[in-house]
Amino acid sequence: MGRTARNADRAWTWRKGPGPVVVGILNVTPDSFSDGGDFLDPEAAAEHAAALLDEGADILDVGGESTRPGSDRVSQEEEIGRVVPVVERILSDRPEAVISVDTYRSGTATAALEAGAKFVNDVTAFRGDPSMTSVIQEAACPVILMHMQGEPKTMQKEPHYEDVVREVRDFLAERAEYAVWAGVRPENIIVDPGIGFGKNLQHNLALLRNLDAIVDLGFPVLIGASRKSFIERITGVQGPRDRVSGTVATTVLAYERGATFFRVHDVRANREALAVAEAVLHTSHR
Ligand code: HH2
């Protein structure tokens, strides 16, 4: 069995069937880089959530703080106040929805899990809040551990690596080992090279090109390249909402290299591209 198929099978526990997992992005923030302010109101957020689910999202990733380069932190209280009403509202409309909370704060993760979220997406990979491991361990829920060099406020100033692929792989291996040591179940770990988080264009491309080095760690791999500015550097497309084609290229290439989770704004386009990629790569397609 190929690498992609093996990891796709592992993803089975969180969704209806094997195959790539599409994570729809729902930013409940005033300042996210591509959709800031669009879904601050729970009503508008719930409507967008329903649209993402109808387009084929397997999971909705709800975030209450932007991590775009240069962004400012918000308080945990503010973050909870943004995220929890939206999680509750989505689940009252669509009880079957699988929700992930994009936070590095244990208090926000706890509140979102209590409200019915099923995943935690921690962009600090347990470095942001020492209590996060016990929250994940107690909830026995899946967690996404992402690589980031520096912190959002300054991470794009001068990212530097000797060997970006080796350093990101070693970081994720160490974080996963720490997580297991702290009581997180290995089968609940998903790793993410953190496209655009303390990386220049060449770093992002090297990671996408050599994704097999990350896949070889043995955990499902998530890619979050959606609408990011490195796509503009290549294509010249300035408006984030217009970077769908560039995003789809990253999705298909990363899927072929063994990634199985795709965190995207444009669910329909990525879902369709993945269906075609899947049909080409796996003969099981009918
Ligand atoms: N990217 C963003 C936010 N969270 N989480 C993971 N695991 N991987 C990513 O690549 C990732 C992430 C940034 O994108 P977005 O949420 O659209 O923007 P903002 O941080 O401005 O809200």
Side-chain angles (χ1 to χ4, degrees), residues 132-153:
M132 188 62 114
T133 45
S134 43
V135 172
I136 304 298
Q137 189 221 343
E138 271 169 41
C141 68
V143 63
I144 298 155
L145 302 178
M146 194 195 80
H147 175 273
M148 166 165 38
Q149 186 180 82
E151 51 183 66
K153 190 86 188 156

Side-chain angles (χ1 to χ4, degrees), residues 54-133:
D54 292 342
E55 287 181 27
D58 300 296
I59 299 172
L60 298 174
D61 190 35
V62 179
E65 177 181 290
S66 172
T67 46
R68 74 181 157 73
S71 58
D72 288 315
R73 305 280 63 94
V74 299
S75 69
Q76 177 165 281
E77 212 176 20
E78 171 101 39
E79 193 184 29
I80 292 174
R82 289 177 185 174
V83 164
V84 168
V86 169
V87 172
E88 286 170 346
R89 181 61 211 272
I90 296 170
L91 290 173
S92 87
D93 289 355
R94 306 284 287 256
E96 77 289 357
V98 178
I99 297 179
S100 147
V101 57
D102 185 351
T103 187
Y104 54 86
R105 294 189 182 89
S106 59
T108 308
T110 303
L113 290 165
E114 277 170 7
K118 295 274 188 321
F119 275 63
V120 175
N121 174 18
D122 181 354
V123 298
T124 71
F126 291 138
R127 295 176 300 163
D129 182 337
S131 304
M132 188 62 114
T133 45

Side-chain angles (χ1 to χ4, degrees), residues 227-240 243:
R227 298 184 180 176
K228 285 186 177 170
S229 62
F230 79 99
I231 296 173
E232 176 188 350
R233 298 276 312 280
I234 300 164
T235 61
V237 175
Q238 285 178 1
R243 297 179 193 150

